Amino acid sequence: MGAQTLYDKLWNAHVVRQEADGTALIYIDRHLVHEVTSPQAFEGLKLAGRKLWRTASILAVADHNVPTTGRAQGIADPIARLQVDTLDSNCAEYGVNEFKMNDVRQGIVHVIGPEQGATLPGMTVVCGDSHTSTHGAFAALAFGIGTSEVEHVMATQCLLMKKSKAMLVLVDGALGKGVTAKDIALAVIGKIGTAGGTGYAIEFAGSAIRALSMEGRMTLCNMAIEAGARAGMIAADDTTVDYLKGRLFAPQGELWGKAVAYWNTLHSDDGARFDATIQLDASQIKPQVTWGTSPEMVVAVDGRVPDPATMSDAVKREGAERALLYMGLKANTPITEINIDKVFIGSCTNARIEDMRAAAVVAKGKHVAANVKLAMVVPGSGLVKQQAESEGLDKIFIAAGFEWRDPGCSMCLAMNDDRLSPGERCASTSNRNFEGRQGQGGRTHLVSPEMAAAAAIAGHFVDVSLS
Amino acid sequence: MQKFTLLDGLVVPLDRANVDTDAIIPKQFLKSIKRSGFGPNAFDEWRYLDHGEPGMDNSKRQINPDFVLNQPRYQGAQVLLARENFGCGSSREHAPWALEDYGLRVIIAPSFADIFFNNCFKNGLLPIRLAAEQVDTLFKAVEANVGYKLKVDLEQQTISAPDGTVYKFEVEAFRKHCLLNGLDDIGLTLQHVGEIKAYEAKHQAAQPWL
């Protein structure tokens, strides 16, 4: 066997059988479950009289619908409450390990998996959520699935799929001041487009990627799906191993050494062949801000809102015109002259401890601008929240006029009460600026935690690489 | 799953790129624990002028007359003609559930997002990729001809237009087989229980920490 990519290694290690047309049965090691995409799967299982194939592979948590304030009173919305109760009762009935809403370990599914060591290198990880690509940061093959597939994994521990093509995104060089993994992600999407990775599994590599913490790597892999790639991944190294040591679900004792020896093989071999390669120079990446209604509609903070009239492709031009209309923006407006109404720091993209720290550094000793109606910080898990509080970050945020909330998906997708009103403009650390994503008529600008905190203080976007 | 074999269906054109699954079925409807009944809320924010919430009587809501699905000539459409990267974003299977419940059976576009594409096949919905120029031609034809229908034959992998043009399309053999016969994936996979168990034992031995 010749030189293999990381993706080849992960794929080959999980093929149970293969059909003549290349459709393979792939074994799944870890199944993460949340309340929104699982009730119909449990119901399907029940109706067919089937059992869970391997209960211990499942870790469940409610995150999409949970309130971020006043949890002691429970969930006010009866429809949301029924959904969370349904998860609780399904988990109880099937004996599934679940972190309930008031458990300190509860949080966003893509934050708690790694935090508990439930995501390990070499694993296949699935969840009925597109941002499952996050877990690829651990040299795992991780991707989002639909509810029919959730049921399929529950019943068979396998998925039917064809191998994707492999794309290498090589980012070399050092990131400048105030430039983060989020900016790399947005710069990549700006370069290849939201469909650029369709049909591919992306491996991120290069010196800039090696230099990222696990939190940064998770942010980057999280957004692989916004580039169209179901899976994003990064080779395992000492950063990966150091992060996992001592975590609840991570191997212990003698098994730890064996596992690490295997994990150290989880990288692309020299000379491995990729179907496509994209290169970026990290030193040229500036803090990014999206201006439209697709993550590919992005510019550097020192840039301007583009002019659709200059776009030659008719579909792109019409898309840009529609986006500017929706966003209430004029072509050629400098990004730093865009005022904001709300700020959201959170989501499976940017709600880990490092994100909290980065935002707090910017907010410390300052105050949210008068034109900002609400600036909220939503930690990714109860444990992130606890850690942040032990470092005094909550006090910094509260003193600066931010709200310090309980963990959940919150205003990333606005299934709970945290949402934008029509026309409101938000600096958000989340992952999607689609129309209506953060509330009907709401206008989302995707940025890093540093950029969001700085925008909260100034009331408009500012270039954090200059401060 | 319902079978898909042959369809002679009215076409509705949705002329915008990057239609995401948030647009196909907004988040407030994802609170349902059922897999049916999403049709009246497909494209909710484009289809209605007022804000929709689960449990509302949709027949009493303000219709957006400008939205293409609301135009009288497209009522009863079963084929959706779309642009590139259709179904991007969230993995929510509620999107194909909503489209299927609305009455659609075929979606034609130059490209689809991977997860959505996959989810369609689990729900008797056939997503078809055609070249961008062919899709362009179809957009012009639909707009120019009231009552424009296309004949979609999965067995033959063809789309026949009223002017006699026949478009060939690709579909993976295994997906085609499942869709033509309305087969349940889980049932098929469980025919391989022995192989799965054998794999599992080997995998556990190699990585006992899993």
Side-chain angles (χ1 to χ4, degrees), chain B residues 73-137:
Chain B
R73 62 180 281 198
Y74 297 122
Q75 296 315 297
Q78 291 179 289
V79 179
L80 182 72
L81 187 62
R83 293 289 186 184
E84 64 189 29
N85 201 25
F86 187 84
C88 62
S90 161
S91 62
R92 60 189 69 167
E93 197 163 318
H94 311 67
W97 292 339
L99 298 177
E100 193 271 337
D101 195 49
Y102 177 82
L104 296 167
R105 295 300 309 277
V106 173
I107 308 166
I108 301 170
S111 61
F112 294 88
D114 289 341
I115 304 178
F116 174 82
F117 187 77
N118 202 37
N119 284 342
C120 284
F121 285 97
K122 315 287 182 192
N123 293 283
L125 209 56
L126 176 62
I128 299 175
R129 296 190 194 104
L130 288 185
E133 308 79 66
Q134 295 176 323
V135 171
D136 243 352
T137 304

Side-chain angles (χ1 to χ4, degrees), chain B residues 130-194:
Chain B
L130 288 185
E133 308 79 66
Q134 295 176 323
V135 171
D136 243 352
T137 304
L138 289 174
F139 264 101
K140 289 192 185 105
V142 176
E143 276 148 29
N145 299 289
V146 174
Y148 190 85
K149 288 175 131 188
L150 287 172
K151 232 179 235 143
V152 180
D153 184 335
L154 177 57
E155 181 63 54
Q156 296 300 316
Q157 298 181 217
T158 55
I159 300 173
S160 307
D163 68 358
T165 313
V166 176
Y167 302 89
K168 282 288 288 177
F169 64 87
E170 294 297 318
V171 57
E172 288 170 20
F174 185 75
R175 294 186 195 273
K176 178 180 173 178
H177 172 72
C178 292
L179 204 48
L180 280 173
N181 298 292
L183 296 178
D184 166 16
D185 274 0
I186 298 178
L188 285 177
T189 299
L190 287 174
Q191 291 173 6
H192 307 297
V193 164

Side-chain angles (χ1 to χ4, degrees), chain A residues 13-17 19 21 23 25 27 29 35-37 39-41 43-44 50 53-54 65 77 79-80 82-83 86 120-123 127-130 144-149 151-152 155-158 160 162 164 194-195 197-200 225-226 228-230 249 251 255 258-259 262-263 293-294 296 315-316 318 322 326 413-416 419 432 434-441, chain B residues 14-23 26-36 38 44-46 48-55 61 83-85 88-94 97 111-116 118-119 121-123 129 136 171-176 178 184-210:
Chain A
H14 290 90
V15 176
V16 174
R17 60 174 275 117
E19 302 288 337
D21 77 340
T23 304
L25 202 57
Y27 188 82
D29 295 309
E35 80 276 25
V36 178
T37 56
Q40 298 88 351
E43 189 189 30
R50 289 175 176 137
W53 184 283
R54 192 157 71 89
N65 265 311
D77 174 354
I79 310 176
L82 175 63
Q83 198 168 53
T86 302
L120 296 173
M123 274 184 166
C127 175
D129 191 286
S130 62
I145 56 178
T147 297
S148 295
E149 290 181 314
E151 185 182 336
H152 194 280
T156 70
Q157 210 58 39
C158 291
L160 280 162
K162 269 190 146 175
S164 305
T194 48
T198 302
Y200 288 94
I225 185 65
E226 308 318 328
R230 257 179 115 169
F249 288 79
L255 281 181
K258 280 191 182 158
Y262 173 62
W263 298 346
T293 52
S294 164
E296 71 186 18
V315 174
K316 271 210 154 50
E318 282 160 27
R322 196 180 279 125
Y326 180 85
L413 89 164
M415 267 188 91
N416 67 0
R419 63 182 80 154
R432 291 192 173 130
F434 298 158
E435 281 187 23
R437 171 81 179 179
Q438 294 193 291
Q440 190 169 15
Chain B
L14 183 59
D15 194 2
R16 50 196 292 171
N18 298 314
V19 171
D20 58 75
T21 54
D22 273 81
K27 80 277 284 167
Q28 61 270 33
F29 304 106
L30 271 50
K31 293 175 192 172
S32 167
I33 56 171
K34 303 275 170 225
R35 65 192 302 159
S36 57
F38 294 102
D44 199 271
E45 291 184 6
W46 294 343
Y48 302 97
L49 293 169
D50 54 348
H51 177 74
E53 284 292 334
R61 292 177 59 196
R83 293 289 186 184
E84 64 189 29
N85 201 25
C88 62
S90 161
S91 62
R92 60 189 69 167
E93 197 163 318
H94 311 67
W97 292 339
S111 61
F112 294 88
D114 289 341
I115 304 178
F116 174 82
N118 202 37
N119 284 342
F121 285 97
K122 315 287 182 192
N123 293 283
R129 296 190 194 104
D136 243 352
V171 57
E172 288 170 20
F174 185 75
R175 294 186 195 273
K176 178 180 173 178
C178 292
D184 166 16
D185 274 0
I186 298 178
L188 285 177
T189 299
L190 287 174
Q191 291 173 6
H192 307 297
V193 164
E195 277 171 275
I196 300 171
K197 286 193 168 154
Y199 169 88
E200 199 165 45
K202 194 178 67 163
H203 190 53
Q204 277 288 334
Q207 296 180 54
W209 55 87
L210 289 178

